[in-house]
């Protein structure tokens, strides 16, 4: 149960969530007693709206405004362990997440910016590595500038960069993905219904276009001792050499 206090001001409304213990994702969280939410027309101001649990925290601060384009809202995440969501999914995740999301001008040309880092990210006990990404809106290009990388054992294994242009309905994706001795098993959770027992590595360069629903991918990948079992046939395969990927 969450208790709150509501005050009516001369020019707006002040909402304060009273000291409470909130159970979220199977953990008890404590809310910052200094939190404030002030509403004045279409302007909403958040102060110290924070949940904490054993060194983890989630905070909302900032201001959303229809008149002040420079105002923004920040959602901050600190030391969140990935196992918090294991009860919601079939995979077992591990790692520590830090990052933030910024939202600006929700009443007009809404823009989002975010950055995150997950240290020691693993899936079902397999170490994927450290993940880091940014997604920033560039008004000059009318596009989101995307950067994403994976580092494993002090080596950058995945490097994804490019643009997402939302106004281009047919080809919003304009990305380039570079792979360097990337573990094939990294992608096992995505293909587990078709393939299992993945192993080996691959390197190469892929250009990604099209849409999120139907991406167009083109490039070459060099396989090194790549292993997989086709579940339907219950047959294991091993592959070495260069594989070409063409657009559909």
């Amino acid at each position: 149960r969450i208790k709150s206090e509501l005050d009516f001001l001369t020019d707006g409304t002040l909402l304060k969530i009273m000291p409470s213990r909130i159970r979220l994702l199977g953990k008890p969280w404590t809310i910052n007693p200094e939190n404030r939410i002030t509403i004045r027309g279409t302007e909403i101001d958040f102060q110290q709206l924070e949940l904490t649990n054993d060194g983890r925290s989630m905070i909302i601060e900032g201001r959303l405004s229809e008149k002040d384009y420079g105002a923004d809202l920040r959602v901050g995440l600190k030391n969140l362990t990935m196992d918090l969501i294991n009860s919601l999914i079939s995979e077992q995740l591990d790692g520590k997440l830090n990052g933030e999301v910024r939202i600006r001008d929700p009443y007009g040309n809404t823009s989002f910016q975010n950055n995150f880092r997950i240290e020691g990210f693993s899936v079902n006990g397999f170490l994927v590595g450290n993940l880091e990404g940014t997604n920033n809106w560039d008004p000059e290009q009318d596009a989101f500038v995307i950067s994403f990388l994976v580092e494993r054992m002090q080596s950058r294994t995945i490097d994804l960069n490019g643009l997402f242009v939302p106004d281009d309905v047919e080809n919003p994706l304009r990305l380039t993905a570079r792979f360097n001795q990337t573990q094939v098993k990294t992608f096992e959770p995505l293909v587990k219904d078709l393939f299992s027992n993945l192993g080996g590595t691959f390197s190469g360069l892929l250009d990604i276009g099209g849409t999120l629903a139907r991406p167009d991918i083109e490039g070459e990948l060099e396989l090194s001792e790549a292993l997989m079992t086709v579940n339907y046939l219950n047959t294991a395969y091993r592959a070495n050499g260069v594989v070409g990927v063409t657009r559909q």
Side-chain angles (χ1 to χ4, degrees):
R1 175 180 292 182
I2 300 177
K3 297 181 179 180
S4 61
E5 182 180 275
L6 190 64
D7 290 333
F8 294 98
L9 310 176
T10 56
D11 60 346
T13 303
L14 174 64
L15 173 65
K16 177 181 179 180
I17 300 177
M18 304 302 292
S20 308
R21 291 183 67 83
I22 301 170
R23 194 158 188 87
L24 179 64
L25 298 173
K27 303 287 185 180
W29 297 76
T30 301
I31 192 161
N32 188 332
E34 300 301 319
N35 74 87
R36 299 284 191 281
I37 304 173
T38 307
I39 304 172
R40 294 184 174 90
T42 58
E43 184 168 296
I44 307 174
D45 184 58
F46 295 83
Q47 297 180 35
Q48 301 187 61
L49 184 57
E50 181 181 27
L51 292 174
T52 58
N53 164 268
D54 193 23
R56 311 176 183 97
S57 71
M58 297 181 285
I59 187 169
I60 300 176
E61 285 190 309
R63 184 163 50 93
L64 296 176
S65 174
E66 184 177 17
K67 299 178 181 179
D68 183 2
Y69 177 75
D72 66 4
L73 181 72
R74 183 182 76 89
V75 180
L77 307 174
K78 182 179 179 181
N79 295 332
L80 294 190
T81 50
M82 299 302 296
D83 61 0
L84 288 173
I85 62 174
N86 283 345
S87 62
L88 306 177
I89 61 176
S90 60
E91 313 298 335
Q92 294 297 299
L93 307 183
D94 200 2
K96 186 177 292 184
L97 167 65
N98 288 277
E100 70 172 19
V101 178
R102 288 187 177 271
I103 306 169
R104 178 176 293 176
D105 194 16
Y107 304 100
N109 297 317
T110 306
S111 67
F112 295 85
Q113 297 184 349
N114 65 71
N115 65 78
F116 73 92
R117 178 176 174 83
I118 305 177
E119 297 181 9
F121 181 65
S122 68
V123 182
N124 299 327
F126 173 76
L127 177 63
V128 176
N130 297 327
L131 282 59
E132 189 170 332
T134 61
N135 176 21
N136 297 315
W137 175 252
D138 183 349
E140 294 185 359
Q141 300 186 79
D142 286 329
F144 290 99
V145 181
I146 296 171
S147 175
F148 173 78
L149 63 87
V150 177
E151 292 183 342
R152 187 176 193 271
M153 309 298 285
Q154 299 182 336
S155 176
R156 183 171 297 187
T157 59
I158 301 176
D159 197 344
L160 176 71
N161 292 278
L163 302 176
F164 178 78
V165 186
D167 289 339
D168 189 340
V169 178
E170 296 183 356
N171 189 45
L173 295 176
R174 303 175 190 179
L175 304 170
T176 299
R178 294 175 174 83
F179 302 94
N180 177 34
Q181 297 295 305
T182 305
Q183 297 286 324
V184 178
K185 194 173 181 67
T186 300
F187 299 94
E188 189 165 71
L190 303 178
V191 298
K192 64 181 181 180
D193 291 338
L194 301 174
F195 306 105
S196 58
N197 301 320
L198 302 187
T201 64
F202 67 94
S203 301
L205 180 69
L206 296 177
D207 292 321
I208 305 171
T211 66
L212 292 171
R214 299 190 64 180
D216 290 328
I217 304 175
E218 185 174 36
E220 288 186 346
L221 298 175
E222 183 176 358
L223 307 179
S224 176
E225 297 298 316
L227 304 171
M228 69 176 65
T229 296
V230 179
N231 295 337
Y232 179 74
L233 301 174
N234 194 28
T235 304
Y237 293 89
R238 180 188 301 269
N240 288 281
V242 176
V243 176
V245 181
T246 59
R247 298 180 185 272
Q248 298 295 319

